[in-house]
């Protein structure tokens, strides 16, 4: 039975009554949070999605735009796991061509095109890479053939095709390379996005169309009738309150926690998930002289040097991780591996002192026979381990929309009545509509709000057409349109907006995911932590003791991460990192 508030059809233009429940822009503030808690306990849902990463939020959006009643719960923060710690690329994956995974590459390139042109042009941008050539005669035609496939497999193309360069041409594009590191090169294009902001926008878009979307809400048990899963019991980890949520089907989109969630449900999974750790370092833009990104082949996989605002992101590693799934830790060995491989081609080597930020994430790979995680397939799998439950795992960030579609398609057997087909390939994310026109009007917006045009462009590439909501918060408080002291790339108003519209509940939510201050500044955000916490307190009602606890917890987290990055191996690094206090101590294992 459909939820009484839902009606039978969801209007994807956003004009339906149900789409207004969370406000015209899927607003996720404190008031909506309480309303959603009440709805979880009083409504019956067609679909409950567990997991607030990109696949979970994508599944919620897919289901709600098919006309289903949907709830999404996440134990920590949206994108708190893998979906905020990727290489931040929407790409087909050149190395998968060499592994003959042509279907995966074609699918990923098609999704990249959709993101660039229709679904999220405000968030996903083209980015160029130089592929350096080292061998004469055979390597250039071999690479050209692969890149020709890459250029054409995704259908219509909104990025330029490959361009072949001599050694001199390649060095003009990337002067920071050693002259003996290449004999020529090929420039090609992919796309990039702030993964955490993209995931959050998917969640807000689902809320805009009527989904009940809630973070800090952990599944602690499954409800059953005979052998059928009929819902979940959830705990608000901020207050400790618990209640049952009933549904026709529960969709497990928990990534590296998939196996744990299967055990909690008492079901035998049809596949296992293996956690592969990927580490990235962030260095200032001026440390490497280049006008393009760089892709390097290594003995294990590939290494990217990715332009990122005023920085470079360099990574990644690819090793098994068998410790705390919530807080994977980078080791000195991981960082040394990255520096060793990138310094092999740089004219001016990087040092540990050049590093502004480090982050580690876990890839949820489908377990296979190969002992090398870099060899495991990035294809995804969907299973129905019990009546009333669907699980999905594997895949890659770029193909999240396809994964979400497949998960909801697999739930058909547990849903009543005829289920409409997926339409998310036609549904722009919030902020996409009107974005291009606003880019052309950036100077006018800057004049209206008395900020520099480059600030408006910065906001447009983070919020798209929702920029009006952000700037509106500064109309009565113009001081909010000033930079954050100690993190001048961001405005104070973005902190307020993160709390009033984007479900931020803790200091780390803002410094780590709503902004990327924690990896973009050498102090990891410690200088601005007090200011940000005090600003959050105005909306969240924190007293001075709570402000102090948030700042102290963040400081200890930063200290623990820095200390873990000097340890020689995973076990030692995990021990140091896990000693730091939690922002959400109410979260219990297994975690979703």
């Amino acid at each position: 039975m459909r939820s009484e508030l839902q009606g039978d059809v969801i209007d994807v233009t956003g004009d339906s009554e149900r789409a207004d429940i969370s406000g015209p822009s899927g607003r996720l503030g404190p008031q909506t949070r309480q309303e959603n808690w009440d709805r979880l306990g009083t409504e019956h849902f067609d679909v409950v999605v567990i997991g607030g990463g990109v696949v979970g939020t994508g599944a919620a959006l897919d289901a709600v735009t098919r006309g289903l009643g949907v709830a999404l719960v996440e134990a920590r923060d949206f994108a708190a796991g893998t979906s905020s710690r990727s290489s931040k690329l929407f790409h087909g994956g050149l190395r998968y061509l060499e592994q003959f995974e042509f279907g995966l590459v074609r699918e990923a390139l098609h999704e990249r095109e959709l993101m660039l042109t229709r679904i999220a042009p405000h968030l996903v941008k083209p980015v160029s890479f130089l592929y350096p050539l080292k061998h004469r005669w055979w390597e250039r035609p071999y690479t050209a053939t692969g890149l020709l496939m890459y250029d054409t497999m995704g259908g219509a193309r909104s990025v330029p095709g490959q361009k072949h360069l001599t050694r001199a041409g390649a060095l003009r594009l990337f002067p920071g390379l050693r002259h003996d590191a290449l004999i020529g090169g090929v420039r090609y294009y992919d796309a990039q996005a702030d993964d955490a902001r993209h995931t959050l926008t998917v969640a807000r878009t689902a809320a805009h169309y009527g989904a009940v979307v809630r973070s800090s809400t952990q599944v602690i048990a499954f409800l059953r009738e005979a052998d059928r899963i009929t819902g979940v019991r959830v705990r608000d980890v901020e207050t400790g309150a618990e209640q049952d949520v009933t549904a026709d089907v529960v969709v497990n989109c928990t990534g590296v926690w998939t196996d744990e969630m299967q055990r909690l449900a008492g079901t035998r999974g049809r596949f296992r998930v293996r956690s592969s750790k990927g580490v990235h370092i962030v260095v200032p833009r001026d440390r490497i002289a280049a006008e393009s990104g760089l892709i390097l082949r290594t003995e294990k996989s590939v290494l990217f040097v990715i332009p990122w605002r005023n920085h470079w992101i360099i990574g990644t590693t690819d090793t098994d991780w068998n410790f705390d799934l919530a807080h994977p830790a980078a080791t000195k060995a991981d960082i040394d591996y990255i520096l060793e491989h990138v310094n092999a081609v740089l004219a001016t080597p990087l040092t540990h002192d050049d590093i502004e930020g480090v982050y580690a994430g876990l890839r949820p790979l489908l377990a296979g026979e190969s002992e090398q995680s870099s060899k495991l397939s990035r294809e995804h799998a969907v299973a129905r381990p019990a009546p009333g439950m669907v699980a999905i795992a594997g895949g890659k960030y770029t193909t999240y929309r396809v994964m979400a579609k497949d998960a909801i398609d697999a739930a058909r057997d547990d849903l009543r009545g005829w289920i409409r087909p997926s339409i998310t390939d036609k549904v722009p994310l919030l902020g996409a509509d009107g974005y291009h026109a606003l880019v052309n009007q950036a100077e006018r917006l800057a004049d209206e709000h008395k900020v520099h045009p480059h600030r408006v462009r910065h906001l447009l590439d983070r919020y798209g057409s929702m920029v009006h909501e952000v700037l509106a918060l500064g109309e009565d408080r113009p001081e909010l349109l000033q930079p954050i002291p100690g993190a001048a790339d961001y405005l104070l108003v973005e902190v307020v907006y993160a709390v009033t519209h984007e479900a931020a509940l803790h200091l780390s939510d803002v410094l780590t995911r709503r902004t990327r201050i924690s990896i973009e500044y050498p102090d990891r955000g410690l200088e601005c932590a007090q200011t940000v916490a005090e600003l959050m307190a105005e909306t969240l009602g924190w007293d001075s003791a709570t402000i102090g606890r948030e700042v102290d917890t963040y400081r200890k987290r930063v200290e623990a991460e820095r200390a873990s990055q000097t340890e020689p191996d995973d076990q030692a690094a995990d021990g140091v990192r896990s000693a730091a206090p939690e922002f959400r101590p109410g979260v219990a294992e297994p975690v979703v």
Side-chain angles (χ1 to χ4, degrees):
M1 184 176 72
R2 303 287 185 264
S3 162
E4 290 82 355
L5 292 179
Q6 179 191 2
D8 198 44
V9 179
I10 287 292
D11 177 358
V12 297
T13 65
D15 293 329
S16 69
E17 281 187 348
R18 197 157 187 274
D20 289 335
I21 290 175
S22 296
S25 63
R27 180 171 178 165
L28 297 176
Q31 181 178 349
T32 305
R33 177 173 175 79
Q34 182 56 51
E35 292 170 355
N36 283 349
W37 179 254
D38 296 338
R39 291 182 64 190
L40 286 175
T42 57
E43 296 182 28
H44 175 81
F45 297 93
D46 297 309
V47 178
V48 168
V49 178
I50 313 174
V54 73
V55 177
T57 58
L61 178 58
D62 187 275
V64 77
T65 53
R66 296 189 196 212
L68 300 172
V70 180
L72 167 71
V73 292
E74 157 62 38
R76 284 190 167 88
D77 185 26
F78 301 114
T82 303
S83 295
S84 62
R85 308 178 193 184
S86 73
S87 296
K88 314 198 186 315
L89 294 176
F90 272 85
H91 65 140
L94 272 179
R95 69 186 175 103
Y96 302 126
L97 286 179
E98 289 191 318
Q99 296 173 7
F100 303 107
E101 296 196 55
F102 301 120
L104 174 63
V105 176
R106 181 182 296 107
E107 183 177 79
L109 290 173
H110 176 69
E111 293 302 307
R112 183 193 73 180
E113 184 72 14
L114 282 175
M115 295 297 152
L116 284 167
T117 59
R118 181 186 303 167
I119 295 177
H122 56 313
L123 302 174
V124 182
K125 309 292 181 182
V127 59
S128 75
F129 288 96
L130 174 67
Y131 186 105
L133 302 173
K134 299 181 180 180
H135 305 281
R136 298 189 183 278
W137 311 119
W138 67 268
E139 191 177 17
R140 189 179 292 275
Y142 175 80
T143 304
T145 302
L147 284 172
L148 178 62
M149 297 174 63
Y150 202 72
D151 286 341
T152 57
M153 289 176 78
R157 190 175 70 222
S158 58
V159 298
Q162 62 179 301
K163 181 178 180 180
H164 286 253
L165 304 168
T166 62
R167 175 191 285 174
L171 291 173
R172 281 194 296 271
L173 184 65
F174 208 112
L177 284 176
R178 287 171 37 186
H179 286 218
D180 62 353
L182 73 171
I183 61 167
V186 186
R187 184 181 195 175
Y188 76 97
Y189 278 80
D190 257 316
Q192 69 177 169
D194 183 329
D195 48 5
R197 177 144 297 282
H198 173 267
T199 297
L200 173 68
T201 307
V202 177
R204 291 188 61 193
T205 306
H208 172 66
Y209 289 118
V212 175
V213 175
R214 204 170 191 273
S215 61
S216 283
T217 307
Q218 183 178 18
V219 170
I220 58 173
F222 284 80
L223 309 180
R224 284 180 173 272
E225 289 183 8
D227 65 340
R228 173 173 288 277
I229 301 289
T230 59
V232 293
R233 185 162 185 82
V234 297
R235 176 187 295 136
D236 184 328
V237 302
E238 305 294 335
T239 68
E242 297 181 8
Q243 65 182 351
D244 292 343
V245 185
T246 63
D248 290 343
V249 62
V250 176
V251 182
N252 178 9
C253 300
T254 57
V256 293
W257 288 278
T258 298
D259 294 349
E260 290 191 7
M261 198 50 40
Q262 300 291 91
R263 286 193 292 271
L264 183 66
T267 60
R268 182 174 180 178
R270 303 295 175 83
F271 45 73
R272 291 186 302 107
V273 173
R274 184 168 166 179
S275 298
S276 168
K277 184 178 70 168
V279 174
H280 296 78
I281 64 173
V282 183
V283 302
R285 194 68 175 263
D286 62 7
R287 296 299 190 273
I288 301 175
E291 300 299 323
S292 171
L294 183 71
I295 180 172
L296 300 171
R297 297 172 66 97
T298 71
E299 67 277 8
K300 296 180 180 179
S301 182
V302 295
L303 191 77
F304 286 102
V305 179
I306 306 165
W308 179 258
R309 301 171 189 153
N310 298 321
H311 319 269
W312 298 99
I313 292 176
I314 307 174
T316 180
T317 61
D318 200 341
T319 56
D320 280 346
W321 175 261
N322 299 303
F323 300 96
D324 185 359
L325 297 179
H327 304 298
T331 66
K332 184 177 185 297
D334 294 325
I335 297 170
D336 287 344
Y337 170 87
I338 294 172
L339 290 176
E340 176 189 353
H341 283 79
V342 75
N343 284 340
V345 300
L346 292 181
T348 304
L350 298 172
T351 69
H352 284 268
D353 291 338
D354 293 319
I355 296 173
E356 294 176 306
V358 179
Y359 64 94
L362 300 178
R363 306 175 188 89
L365 303 181
L366 296 176
E369 295 180 358
S370 171
E371 290 303 311
Q372 292 180 273
S373 60
S374 62
K375 301 285 188 186
L376 295 182
S377 173
R378 297 305 298 273
E379 296 279 5
H380 63 270
V382 183
R384 188 168 174 260
M389 187 174 188
V390 168
I392 183 165
K396 57 201 294 279
Y397 194 105
T398 304
T399 58
Y400 82 92
R401 194 195 63 81
V402 177
M403 295 176 66
K405 170 186 175 297
D406 289 350
I408 302 305
D409 281 346
R412 289 175 185 269
D413 291 344
D414 294 299
L415 294 167
R416 308 177 194 186
W418 179 73
I419 307 303
R420 295 169 178 82
S422 175
I423 59 166
T424 50
D425 60 334
K426 304 177 183 67
V427 179
L429 298 186
L430 290 180
D433 286 338
Y435 163 73
H436 294 294
L438 287 171
V439 170
N440 292 337
Q441 298 172 351
E443 285 76 11
R444 178 179 62 78
L445 283 172
D447 289 341
E448 287 179 7
H449 295 277
K450 296 180 174 56
V451 295
H452 196 281
H454 91 267
R455 292 289 186 187
V456 173
R457 296 187 186 96
H458 159 91
L459 294 173
L460 283 169
D461 287 344
R462 287 169 52 74
Y463 307 95
S465 56
M466 292 185 290
V467 68
H468 295 298
E469 294 179 341
V470 181
L471 293 172
L473 295 175
E475 289 179 358
D476 297 328
R477 297 182 62 187
E479 71 275 11
L480 293 179
L481 298 179
Q482 297 300 311
I484 298 174
D489 287 341
Y490 299 92
L491 301 180
L492 291 166
V493 72
E494 296 184 75
V495 176
V496 177
Y497 189 79
V499 177
T500 59
H501 288 70
E502 297 182 338
L505 298 175
H506 292 280
L507 182 58
S508 64
D509 299 349
V510 173
L511 296 182
T512 306
R513 287 171 292 277
R514 305 305 182 275
T515 69
R516 306 322 286 265
I517 291 171
S518 66
I519 62 170
E520 292 176 345
Y521 289 84
D523 65 12
R524 313 286 171 95
L526 291 177
E527 183 178 344
C528 69
Q530 183 73 27
T531 299
V532 172
E534 290 174 357
L535 205 50
M536 295 178 69
E538 295 177 9
T539 300
L540 294 173
W542 295 346
D543 57 19
S544 58
T546 304
I547 293 172
R549 185 168 59 251
E550 288 281 324
V551 173
D552 186 60
T553 299
Y554 186 78
R555 177 182 57 78
K556 289 177 178 176
R557 195 208 81 170
V558 170
E559 291 173 351
E561 287 185 349
R562 282 176 164 164
S564 70
Q565 291 157 17
T566 65
E567 296 294 335
D569 56 47
D570 285 350
Q571 184 172 4
D574 176 70
V576 172
R577 174 62 185 88
S578 297
E582 289 276 358
F583 276 98
R584 290 172 169 85
V587 173
E589 298 290 348
V591 175
V592 183

